[in-house]
Each structure stands twice: as C-alpha cells, then as structure tokens.
Amino acid sequence: MVNIAVLGYGTVGSGVVEVLATNHDAIAKRAGEEINVKYVLDLRDFPGDPIQEKIVHDYQVILDDPDVKIVVEVMGGVEPALTFVKKALLAGKSAATSNKELVAKHGAQLLEIARANNVNFLFEASVGGGIPIIRPLNQSLTADEITEITGILNGTTNYMLTKMDNDGANYADVLKQAQEKGYAERNPEADVEGYDACRKIAILTSLAYGMQVDYEDIHTEGITQITDIDFKYAKLMNKSIKLLGMSRKEDQGVFALVAPMMIGEGHPLYSVSDVFNAILVKGNALGDVMFYGRGAGKLPTASAVVSDIVDEVKHMGTHIMTEWRSEKLKLADYEQYVSRFFVRVKGDPEESAAEIRALFGSVEFCQAEDVTGEYAFITAPMKVEDFEERQVQLQGFISRIFVNE
C-alpha cells in the first residue's frame, strides 16, 4: 500500500479523494499497489464528512511521516504551495499538482529538485484539466520537433464566446450567465483577460522546447473588447472567434501569444464549443494531432491528478525524465509576428477604400447589413509592427482581431 497526502480539500482536492474512492480497485490494479489517502491538509474542519478523521492543520505532520510517499498539491496559488512542494521533494516524497501558477513560475526548479532527489514532480492537470497533454508531449511526441502548439485553453472564455456566437448575446450578458453557471469566478479577470491561458501556453512551450518560458514575456490579450458586432462580421465570412494560446517556431525563433483570433470553418479548432478545450500540436514528422475534452471541472481535473499519482506509484524509486531546464528561452519579438488582421472602421467603405488600400495594400472589405456607420476589412499578412504603424494613421479605427489561418 502507498500512502499519500492531499494538500487542500477544495473542489479539486475533494475530487481526487472521490476518484480514488470510486475507482479504488481499478486504480490499484493499474498502479500495482493500493493507494491510501492518509492525510488531508486544510485550514478548515469538515464535521460530518468521513474525511474529517484524516484532516490535519499542520503540514509538518505530513512531512515528518516516512509512510507518506506522495504529496498531492491542489491548493492553488504560488505560496505556500511552492514551499510545501519543495519541502516534500527534498524529503524524498514525490509530488503531483494541478496548480498552473506554480508550474508556470517554478516548474523547471521543482523538476530539478525532483531529479536530484530521485523522486517525481508531475503536473498533468495544470494545463488541460482532464485532457492528457503533458504526458504525450513528454513521452509520446519525443521523436518529433514541435513546430506549433495552438489551443483553446480556457473553458470559461470558450463558453462565453460560444454564447456570443450562437445567441448574438453581448459580453456583459454572457459573463453574467457564466458566473451564474459557476464557470466564471466573481472576479473573472484571470479568465477573461487571458492570464489563465497565458500560464498554460507558457507551460506547454517550456515543455516543447525544453527551456523556461516566463508567462510575463508572452503578449496577452483577453476577450473583454470582443462584441456581438464582431460575431456578425465573422458569420458573414464563415468564421468564428476563439481565444487562442499559441506558440510557433519560425526562422526568427519561437513566437508565443494569447489573443482572440478569427478562424475559418476549415480550422481544426473551429467547432470546439462551450466549456470544451482543445490543443492542436504540429510536429515535423507526425503532422497534426489534436487533444480534446473538458479542460476544467472537479472530476476531469481530479482524474488527471490521479493519473499522475498512479504514474508516481509505478515509478517509485526512479525519476521520470522531463526535459525542462531553468535556462530561459528568449522568445521572438512579438512585433515581428506575421498575421492577417480583421479591422473595424467607422465610416463608408466607398469613401475610404482609396485610403485603406494606400495604407494596407490589398484588402478584403466586409459590410454587415444590420450594422450601420461602420465597415470592416481583412488585411494581407503583415508584421504586427507594420500593422500598428499604419493603424495609427487610419481614420475612424474601432478595433482589430488577429486572423489565424
């Protein structure tokens, strides 16, 4: 029997305990050992819950118990999670986490500590919730040179954009609906401003290229400026709008960004709707492969955490190699990124066509029948810096969205 401790009895922590109990026999068979939750660390008590007999309030109890072989961190936030995980690894205990903030900021450091102490630090649930993506990147796609990772990495914003697309609803209304359904927090900033997706693409990019990518270096835009009118234009052009996290290897280096992007019907991510997530990985040998599923939620996320626990039980006494060094990967300059742009402008296209073409060259004009006082166009591919230089000179500019082909 392998004893584990769960740090945090919130949504994911209670889900981990539930999955281990519900699927106890099948999990034991796959792990080769019975897995027992010996402790649950939480500041609170849970009278009436069977878990109460395992609740401890002092982390030192877990740290000092040689019978505890695996520590499961599902508290969230950087501290005290970082301190707790670091102490566990140094004490010769493996650790598993769903904490994207912790992994994005300190993943390389914690992997190095795990390697030095011949234990494991696994974090499958930190990016795609229940979608397996970390393990495939680390083990299944090692023969490939990864050329691109593009994903819908946040279920809350995908739900909101889907509602705006399907129902013609505005941003404020769909945010309220998302909060009522429990998809969005009372303070939704991490989701709607793109910060959650940014941390996830930072983790994936770090793993793909084996070096530290700081999420602070990734150009990030959220969905707060997307309107129902943007979707009216998108429908006319058989496109949709998704919040995408993307990293792409080009001659100049690796570009990484998070932003709303217009994608066409032929794009693999076009039909990914509601709270579902999907991650498209392109390799130079394999070609395209896509991972799809529920990117969040109590049981899907807990399932991914438990899969890490099983892996750590199976590899007790051996370190699972993960190529992610602390050396920083210098990202390519965002200003040099090349894209087409969807642009909305106040005025009449017939009066402004000459000015638009003088600034942007060949463009595709678009005008929605029930939208008055403005029009839109899509540019040819150009660098961000060139677009921004010309956009400043554009009279009546309203907004722009990347177009991802």
Side-chain angles (χ1 to χ4, degrees), residues 184-261:
E185 303 288 342
R186 185 174 297 176
N187 177 1
E189 184 181 39
D191 294 323
V192 300
E193 295 292 357
Y195 304 148
D196 175 79
C198 177
R199 284 161 176 75
K200 292 173 179 177
I201 198 65
I203 293 168
L204 293 176
T205 308
S206 297
L207 284 169
Y209 302 108
M211 297 168 71
Q212 175 67 23
V213 174
D214 293 340
Y215 58 78
E216 297 93 338
D217 296 339
I218 297 175
H219 176 82
T220 302
E221 301 172 18
I223 66 165
T224 56
Q225 303 305 310
I226 300 297
T227 72
D228 52 329
I229 294 174
D230 291 317
F231 278 100
K232 288 181 178 180
Y233 285 111
K235 280 184 186 296
L236 276 177
M237 299 180 286
N238 296 316
K239 297 183 186 294
S240 188
I241 302 167
K242 305 289 186 183
L243 181 69
L244 301 183
M246 189 209 74
S247 64
R248 180 184 294 162
K249 190 174 186 180
E250 297 185 359
D251 292 341
Q252 307 97 307
V254 177
F255 287 99
L257 69 151
V258 173
M261 298 189 187

Side-chain angles (χ1 to χ4, degrees), residues 100-146:
K100 58 189 163 287
E101 274 189 274
L102 176 68
V103 176
K105 194 79 174 173
H106 300 286
Q109 175 196 1
L110 294 170
L111 283 167
E112 285 168 3
I113 295 171
R115 189 179 305 122
N117 289 274
N118 201 34
V119 290
N120 289 295
F121 174 62
L122 300 181
F123 43 91
E124 181 64 68
S126 67
V127 171
I131 305 171
I133 180 62
I134 304 295
R135 198 169 281 107
L137 271 183
N138 193 33
Q139 297 174 18
S140 307
L141 302 177
T142 51
D144 268 70
E145 171 121 0
I146 303 299

Side-chain angles (χ1 to χ4, degrees), residues 43-312:
L43 293 173
R44 302 163 295 172
D45 284 306
F46 298 88
D49 189 319
I51 205 68
Q52 180 60 39
E53 64 186 35
K54 299 182 179 185
I55 292 287
V56 294
H57 304 302
D58 182 1
Y59 181 58
Q60 200 64 39
V61 173
I62 294 167
L63 210 56
D64 291 342
D65 189 338
D67 288 342
V68 174
K69 302 299 183 186
I70 298 170
V71 168
V72 180
E73 187 282 305
V74 283
M75 304 161 65
V78 174
E79 285 293 357
L82 173 62
T83 299
F84 288 174
V85 171
K86 198 183 288 187
K87 284 182 176 180
L89 297 172
L90 289 168
K93 304 177 192 294
S94 288
T97 185
S98 60
N99 188 337
K100 58 189 163 287
E101 274 189 274
L102 176 68
V103 176
K105 194 79 174 173
H106 300 286
Q109 175 196 1
L110 294 170
L111 283 167
E112 285 168 3
I113 295 171
R115 189 179 305 122
N117 289 274
N118 201 34
V119 290
N120 289 295
F121 174 62
L122 300 181
F123 43 91
E124 181 64 68
S126 67
V127 171
I131 305 171
I133 180 62
I134 304 295
R135 198 169 281 107
L137 271 183
N138 193 33
Q139 297 174 18
S140 307
L141 302 177
T142 51
D144 268 70
E145 171 121 0
I146 303 299
T147 56
E148 182 179 332
I149 300 172
T150 298
I152 295 170
L153 300 170
N154 182 272
T156 300
T157 50
N158 202 46
Y159 167 81
M160 292 172 63
L161 293 173
T162 299
K163 294 294 285 183
M164 292 175 77
D165 192 356
N166 293 345
D167 301 349
N170 64 42
Y171 173 84
D173 289 341
V174 297
L175 174 57
K176 187 179 178 185
Q177 288 176 37
Q179 288 170 323
E180 287 170 352
K181 286 181 174 287
Y183 297 151
E185 303 288 342
R186 185 174 297 176
N187 177 1
E189 184 181 39
D191 294 323
V192 300
E193 295 292 357
Y195 304 148
D196 175 79
C198 177
R199 284 161 176 75
K200 292 173 179 177
I201 198 65
I203 293 168
L204 293 176
T205 308
S206 297
L207 284 169
Y209 302 108
M211 297 168 71
Q212 175 67 23
V213 174
D214 293 340
Y215 58 78
E216 297 93 338
D217 296 339
I218 297 175
H219 176 82
T220 302
E221 301 172 18
I223 66 165
T224 56
Q225 303 305 310
I226 300 297
T227 72
D228 52 329
I229 294 174
D230 291 317
F231 278 100
K232 288 181 178 180
Y233 285 111
K235 280 184 186 296
L236 276 177
M237 299 180 286
N238 296 316
K239 297 183 186 294
S240 188
I241 302 167
K242 305 289 186 183
L243 181 69
L244 301 183
M246 189 209 74
S247 64
R248 180 184 294 162
K249 190 174 186 180
E250 297 185 359
D251 292 341
Q252 307 97 307
V254 177
F255 287 99
L257 69 151
V258 173
M261 298 189 187
M262 273 196 179
I263 57 176
E265 290 176 311
H267 196 288
L269 299 174
Y270 177 85
S271 59
V272 178
S273 60
D274 206 66
V275 294
F276 283 84
N277 286 189
I279 302 161
L280 176 67
V281 179
K282 297 187 178 186
N284 65 342
L286 177 69
D288 295 359
V289 60
M290 194 162 89
F291 302 85
Y292 170 84
R294 288 188 178 273
K298 176 178 177 175
L299 294 182
T301 305
S303 173
V305 174
V306 172
S307 75
D308 279 347
I309 297 168
V310 170
D311 223 8
E312 289 178 336

